[in-house]
Amino acid sequence: LGIELRDPALILEAVARGDLDDLGSPMLPLSLFAGLIWFIVLAKLGGVERLPSSRLMLYFLCLIAGFLSATFTLLLVVWQDHVLGFSLNGDFVNDLLYCFSAIGLREEVAKILFFLPFVPFIAKRFTQLEILIAAGCIGLGFAINENINYFYGPNGSPASALPRLLTASFLHISLTGLLGLAMCRFWHYPKRCWEEAVGTFVAVVLVHGLYDALIIVRELAELGGILSIVVLALTVREFFRKIAATRGAQRQAISPLAVFVLGSAMVVGAAWIFAMYYYDLDTALDGVGRGALNSAILAFIYINEMRDE
């Protein structure tokens, strides 16, 4: 009805009901567990040492905002696909444009819109490191919600959804973290940093669109799997490099590196148990195997950039 009447409020209501229906899905515990692990990693990188903490509260609020931004994105998806009639159709040019101007653009706009209310507060009171982590938590919240929906969506499948617990989560964390930092710098120094903010936004949209195009567009499928990992690795490397530059050589009682490595192993193990319980061996090997490969690559990048931890 919302589509027929072109009523955004009715469409949003239907999307929200769909999100509530997903609370009973078997993917929910796995996505939440993976999200918890990555949230702990980000919180440790962001300097959280004890409870309670104003930093931790900020990161948690950003996580919730990011989760809600994914629901808002579904409204944009329905509007673009069914009201405007712009969707994937198998044509190379159409699908390529869709990945950049629809997927990449709408998701990055949605995430940064939900981060903007935090900008006036955190740009004045928090460090660049904390801004990076807070914006990264927006991306993580988005990824948690998206992973649940993607698993049961029309383009989803267990083999493609399971690796997303690692790849999509860190892609969203990195892209939103970098863009959030640029926006806060623009808030502080609008005349000096407006080019950086615009350039970062364009770069983030293009990287996001390219990553999805390499996975979705049929004509790019032959090399897309390998190239998408390269795009992911370079993006995450830039995010970790920014963190390393702002953290310095900090030492913590519990190393973020230990949390990252052990957390990655726990997520892969949980995904394996989930896949073997619900699906066959081939599906488990395909989906979780790719997830484990991505986990190893991310761990290598983390260790290389954060070697002073």
Side-chain angles (χ1 to χ4, degrees):
L1 180 61
I3 295 174
E4 294 176 0
L5 297 177
R6 298 195 171 194
D7 187 334
L10 290 177
I11 295 174
L12 183 59
E13 180 184 350
V15 167
R17 285 202 305 267
D19 271 357
L20 290 176
D21 291 340
D22 287 337
L23 294 179
S25 73
M27 185 64 179
L28 178 66
L30 181 59
S31 185
L32 290 178
F33 175 74
L36 175 63
I37 295 297
W38 305 141
F39 181 72
I40 293 173
V41 170
L42 289 177
K44 292 294 293 179
L45 286 174
V48 174
E49 283 287 345
R50 59 181 63 88
L51 301 175
S53 165
S54 59
R55 290 174 176 174
L56 184 62
M57 180 57 66
L58 170 66
Y59 301 154
F60 181 73
L61 290 175
C62 287
L63 184 77
I64 298 301
F67 190 92
L68 295 176
S69 73
T71 299
F72 174 71
T73 302
L74 290 178
L75 168 64
L76 301 182
V77 172
V78 173
W79 191 266
Q80 286 182 325
D81 289 8
H82 300 287
V83 177
L84 300 181
F86 184 35
S87 60
L88 296 168
N89 61 12
D91 177 75
F92 175 74
V93 175
N94 176 85
D95 291 357
L96 195 62
L97 288 174
Y98 185 85
C99 288
F100 285 98
S101 62
I103 298 177
L105 181 61
R106 75 182 173 217
E107 292 189 2
E108 295 308 325
V109 166
K111 287 183 293 181
I112 207 62
L113 281 177
F114 278 72
F115 179 67
L116 287 180
F118 295 94
V119 170
F121 174 71
I122 66 175
K124 293 181 178 179
R125 302 192 181 189
F126 290 88
T127 65
Q128 289 194 25
L129 171 63
E130 292 161 338
I131 292 170
L132 270 170
I133 299 301
C137 287
I138 293 277
L140 175 59
F142 183 98
I144 293 172
N145 193 337
E146 186 185 49
N147 288 342
I148 299 169
N149 286 291
Y150 190 92
F151 196 86
Y152 291 99
N155 298 316
S157 67
S160 60
L162 290 171
R164 291 177 59 85
L165 296 172
L166 291 159
T167 56
S169 296
F170 269 94
L171 183 73
H172 284 299
I173 288 170
S174 301
L175 291 176
T176 315
L178 294 170
L179 182 55
L181 177 61
M183 289 300 175
C184 286
R185 286 172 56 82
F186 171 70
W187 176 270
H188 260 307
Y189 312 106
K191 292 183 179 180
R192 190 197 318 172
C193 297
W194 71 268
E195 290 182 333
E196 176 189 351
V198 173
T200 303
F201 176 74
V202 172
V204 161
V205 170
L206 290 178
V207 168
H208 194 153
L210 176 61
Y211 178 81
D212 281 307
L214 291 171
I215 296 174
I216 294 173
V217 178
R218 184 178 61 251
E219 289 81 358
L220 302 177
E222 186 172 345
L223 293 176
I226 297 174
L227 293 179
S228 65
I229 294 176
V230 173
V231 171
L232 171 69
L234 292 176
T235 305
V236 174
R237 178 172 175 263
E238 181 63 21
F239 179 68
F240 284 154
R241 180 167 289 181
K242 289 278 189 182
I243 291 177
T246 54
R247 273 179 62 83
Q250 293 188 26
R251 296 285 181 178
Q252 297 188 26
I254 301 176
S255 168
L257 174 59
V259 176
F260 182 88
V261 173
L262 292 176
S264 298
M266 292 173 67
V267 171
V268 172
W272 175 258
I273 294 171
F274 176 90
M276 288 299 295
Y277 183 82
Y278 285 100
Y279 304 101
D280 55 61
L281 179 61
D282 289 341
T283 299
L285 289 173
D286 184 15
V288 182
R290 280 188 286 149
L293 174 62
N294 293 329
S295 178
I297 293 172
L298 293 178
F300 174 79
I301 297 170
Y302 186 106
I303 293 170
N304 186 60
E305 296 299 330
M306 311 290 286
R307 63 173 65 92
D308 293 328
E309 287 289 346

